[in-house]
């Protein structure tokens, strides 16, 4: 036959070989399709970041003066509504050609606001009436969705006649954006997580391509008997594998397009993705289209490398390969060398070194696992018959189970590392929330301080007030250093510091900050200076780990009498309070009370119902990684199930011989349980050690200590063990059928 005829025969065998062929094709299509969809999503990561950067840069203000352009007063603040952050951008034009932000066709006049699409929907859907008073004007238009950074962002462009605290800008569209170190760390974690979740996909593709290996060998033996050469058999095998690969490519592309159409409805950590963002570059699409079929064919050929197909039957080589250690240690050594140096994640070099080092460490798992498993099983002695049968089988072939488990272990190691890093941040956030004692903090500029305090005190249920006015002190030491000073009554001082027996007129300060009779200058919110003489010997100052003292971190705290003769009207005020009504929307009532002073008053709440953007990001990233790990665990379970079923088919005669010699079926089933479980247990140990090592080396992402999330480790390990039990249980019918003496008959 010609090469074309060989390929056509392979196609016919894949789709027309009976019910078994159809089942194998459907399973291959589902498995490869899932892998292709994941690969296409991963390939879109670069486009997602590029489009996000373009939107962020387009909305970024430019502060340098441009000749002939009337500056625009720009002041950005934030508020929250039931845990959702709302960005308030206050704008005031100084001329007819003042710059206009992207997404609107004109600047809002004082008393007018433009809303982002999601905020407009939220305002329309709010039945409580608490959100509408928060807007600093009447809605007159919608911001173009293409100009909003994330589909679910809540943004307000508000016109204002009070440019206080604003900065003059000349244009929108900064040439470069700015990433905080926190965002750089999250980006590094996401890139590592993307690699972690994609690696097992290739292992799964290789495993799926081996479906029906025993039946394929029998068909090839029949073809060999009919006169086909070994080269023809390779072409036929490639054609069979390509049918499943092409069907999987089509199914994966369809699944990707369905997900892409609905992606705007998903909130991915604190970010969102537009459908247009999820567009993989065509070179990567071409690469996926070429690599997936090539990997499928290569895996099918690799499955036959130790199989001799002859006209009268199939012979498999059983001599285990000799595995060497030195090259398996290379990725681990290089990975440690890249992570260990204290490179800053603020630099591109530091991020790339951290990502590359973590990737190499996790690549060391599939490299080391076959060697380590081989050494473990060769040193195990004794045990019950089922255990000895499993050990004997693993000694003959430890590479195949190790390859199946390797993908899962890479995911486990990566998730353990990332969960440990993120758990530390969540722990710190939880500790901070406990310290705040569910209090609400209100900070008001000096120009509206008295009005804001009065408005907050008028909120029903407001109690437990603590208030501090803030100024700076120039100690006249000639070094230009300023220290912070807060003014509060004795009740607030005793509640927020370790001071006792406070009397009006007392002064508290850090050691050596001030002394009685010292002449200093006070600097208020308007940068005005006024002389002040320290009236009393300062008492020691030590703030409590909660309340305003920790929030403001003052170096000097004075009672009102100690500031006699000083006009405090130009000093901003920070008020802390709590609600007594139990109303879950109490903080929203506080925010509404100061809504008329938008841009000059900020409200922050750190109770259980309000989590910061960073905390939401961390929690969502942890959930996504954990969900991805469970998904890949399912893939590994399917791979292990395929492997177990294939082993039962291949060993039908051996199992029948064991049964004929008196070995009970339950012993054979237990041997399969050990055979599947031992590689997994070894892999879990390796993955846990590797994950903790990566977390320990990469903890500088957030500059905090190492926190091992043992609950996540235990849950993933328990899920892996449960998966082995289910896989083994699913093979019981096949084992019972294979353990019949009829399987010993030959023709």
């Amino acid at each position: 036959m010609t090469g074309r005829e060989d390929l056509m025969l392979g196609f016919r065998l894949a789709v027309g070989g009976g019910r078994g062929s159809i089942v194998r094709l459907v399973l291959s299509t589902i498995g490869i399709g899932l892998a292709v969809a994941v690969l296409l999503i991963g390939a879109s990561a670069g486009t997602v970041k590029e489009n996000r950067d373009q939107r962020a840069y387009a909305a970024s203000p430019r502060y340098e003066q441009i000749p002939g352009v009337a500056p625009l007063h720009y002041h950005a603040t934030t508020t929250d509504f039931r845990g959702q952050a709302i960005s308030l951008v206050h704008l005031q034009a100084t001329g007819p050609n003042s710059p206009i932000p992207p997404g609107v066709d004109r600047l809002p006049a004082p008393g007018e606001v433009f809303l982002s699409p999601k905020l407009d929907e939220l305002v329309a859907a709010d039945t409580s009436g608490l959100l509408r008073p928060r807007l600093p004007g009447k809605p007159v238009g919608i911001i173009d969705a293409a100009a909003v950074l994330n589909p679910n962002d809540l943004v307000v462009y508000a016109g204002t006649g009070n440019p206080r605290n604003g900065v003059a800008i000349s244009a929108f569209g900064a040439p470069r954006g700015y990433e905080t170190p926190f965002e750089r760390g999250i980006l590094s974690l996401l890139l590592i997580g993307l690699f972690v979740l994609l690696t097992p996909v290739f292992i799964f593709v290789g495993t799926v391509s081996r479906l029906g290996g025993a039946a394929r060998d029998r068909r090839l033996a029949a073809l060999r008997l009919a006169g086909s050469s070994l080269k023809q058999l390779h072409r036929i095998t490639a054609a069979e594998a390509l049918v499943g690969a092409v069907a999987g490519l089509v199914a994966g592309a369809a699944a990707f397009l369905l997900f892409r159409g609905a992606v705007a409805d998903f909130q991915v950590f604190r970010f969102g993705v537009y459908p247009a963002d999820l567009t993989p570059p065509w070179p990567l699409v071409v690469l996926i289209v070429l690599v997936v079929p090539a990997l499928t064919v290569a895996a099918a050929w690799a499955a036959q490398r130790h199989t001799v197909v002859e006209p009268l039957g199939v012979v498999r080589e059983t001599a285990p390969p000799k595995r060497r250690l030195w090259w398996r240690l290379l990725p681990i050594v290089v990975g440690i060398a890249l992570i260990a140096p204290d490179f800053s994640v603020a630099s591109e070099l530091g991020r790339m070194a951290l990502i590359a080092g973590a990737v190499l460490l996790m690549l060391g798992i599939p490299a080391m696992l076959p060697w380590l498993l081989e050494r473990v099983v060769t040193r195990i002695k004794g045990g019950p018959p089922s255990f000895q049968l499993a050990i004997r089988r693993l000694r003959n072939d430890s590479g195949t189970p190790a390859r199946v488990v390797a993908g899962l272990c890479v995911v486990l190691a990566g998730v353990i590392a990332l969960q440990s890093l993120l758990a530390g941040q969540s722990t710190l956030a939880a500790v901070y929330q406990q310290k705040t004692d569910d209090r609400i903090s209100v900070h008001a500029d000096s120009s509206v301080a008295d009005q804001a305090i009065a408005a907050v005190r008028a909120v029903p249920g407001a109690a437990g007030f603590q208030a501090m006015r803030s100024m700076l002190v120039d100690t006249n030491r000639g070094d230009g250093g300023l220290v912070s000073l807060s003014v509060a009554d004795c009740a607030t001082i005793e509640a927020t510091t370790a001071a006792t027996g406070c009397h009006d007129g007392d002064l508290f300060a850090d050691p050596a900050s001030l002394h009685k009779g010292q002449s200093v200058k006070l600097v208020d919110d308007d940068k005005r200076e006024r002389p002040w003489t320290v009236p009393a010997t300062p008492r020691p100052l030590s703030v409590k780990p909660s309340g305003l003292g920790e929030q403001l971190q003052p170096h000097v705290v004075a009672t009102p009498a100690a500031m006699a003769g000083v006009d405090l009207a130009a000093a901003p005020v920070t008020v802390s309070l709590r609600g007594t009504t139990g109303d879950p929307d109490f903080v929203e009532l506080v925010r509404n009370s100061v809504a008329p002073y938008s841009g000059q008053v900020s409200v922050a709440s750190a109770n259980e119902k309000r989590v910061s953007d960073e905390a939401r990001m961390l929690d969502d990233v942890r959930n996504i990684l954990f969900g991805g790990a469970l998904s890949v665990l399912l893939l590994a379970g399917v791979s292990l199930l395929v492997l177990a079923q294939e082993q039962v088919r291949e060993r039908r005669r051996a199992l029948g011989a064991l049964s004929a010699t008196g070995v009970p079926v339950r012993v054979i089933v237990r041997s399969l349980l050990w055979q599947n479980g031992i590689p997994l247990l070894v892999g879990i140990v390796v993955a846990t050690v590797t994950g903790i090592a990566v977390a320990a080396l990469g903890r500088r992402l957030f500059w905090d200590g190492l926190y091992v999330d043992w609950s996540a480790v235990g849950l993933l390990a328990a899920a892996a063990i449960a998966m082995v039990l289910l896989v083994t249980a699913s093979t019981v019918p096949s084992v019972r059928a294979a353990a019949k003496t009829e399987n010993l008959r030959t023709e």
Side-chain angles (χ1 to χ4, degrees), residues 236-311:
I236 294 171
T237 301
E240 284 192 79
L242 282 174
V243 172
V246 173
L249 284 172
V250 175
F256 170 75
L257 292 176
L258 289 175
F259 176 76
R260 184 176 183 268
V263 72
D265 296 328
F266 290 92
Q267 187 73 20
V268 185
F269 34 97
R270 75 175 178 184
F271 304 128
V273 179
Y274 290 97
D277 295 342
L278 211 61
T279 304
W282 68 264
L284 292 181
V285 175
V286 172
L287 185 63
I288 292 172
V289 171
L290 295 177
V291 166
V292 170
L295 180 62
T296 305
V297 173
W301 283 346
Q304 295 180 329
R305 70 185 186 278
H306 296 301
T307 304
V308 180
V309 180
E310 294 296 344

Side-chain angles (χ1 to χ4, degrees), residues 365-416:
I365 295 176
M368 284 293 298
L369 197 56
W371 179 89
L372 185 61
L373 181 60
E374 183 182 74
R375 294 303 183 273
V376 169
V377 297
T378 54
R379 285 166 171 76
I380 295 178
K381 306 294 182 182
S386 60
F387 185 78
Q388 294 184 39
L389 285 173
I391 294 299
R392 182 64 179 174
R393 179 64 182 174
L394 289 173
R395 287 175 182 173
N396 290 334
D397 181 17
S398 61
T400 303
R403 282 190 297 270
V404 174
V405 173
L408 173 63
C409 292
V410 170
V411 175
L412 287 177
V415 171
I416 288 170

Side-chain angles (χ1 to χ4, degrees), residues 665-720:
V665 173
R666 63 179 182 274
V667 174
I668 299 175
V669 172
R670 284 201 295 266
S671 72
L672 290 177
L673 178 61
W674 285 113
Q675 187 176 323
N676 294 329
I678 291 174
L680 188 62
L681 292 175
V682 173
I684 289 174
V685 173
V686 174
T688 303
V689 172
T690 305
I692 294 175
V694 172
L697 293 171
R699 66 182 183 275
R700 65 180 182 274
L701 278 170
F702 300 106
W703 311 282
D704 288 316
L706 175 65
Y707 297 81
V708 179
D709 190 355
W710 292 110
S711 61
V713 175
L715 187 57
L716 289 172

Side-chain angles (χ1 to χ4, degrees), residues 174-258:
R176 294 184 61 186
Y178 174 75
E179 294 177 336
T180 67
F182 183 87
E183 291 170 338
R184 295 188 186 106
I186 284 293
L187 178 61
S188 301
L189 291 181
L190 290 177
L191 291 176
I192 296 173
L194 183 63
F195 167 82
V196 165
L197 296 180
L198 287 182
T199 299
V201 170
F202 295 99
I203 299 174
F204 181 64
V205 169
T207 304
V208 167
S209 65
R210 303 186 185 203
L211 281 169
R216 183 189 301 119
D217 292 343
R218 290 193 295 270
R219 291 196 303 272
L220 295 179
L223 292 172
R224 191 85 168 92
L225 181 61
S228 297
S229 65
L230 292 177
K231 185 178 294 186
Q232 288 178 306
L233 295 185
H234 280 98
R235 286 197 292 263
I236 294 171
T237 301
E240 284 192 79
L242 282 174
V243 172
V246 173
L249 284 172
V250 175
F256 170 75
L257 292 176
L258 289 175

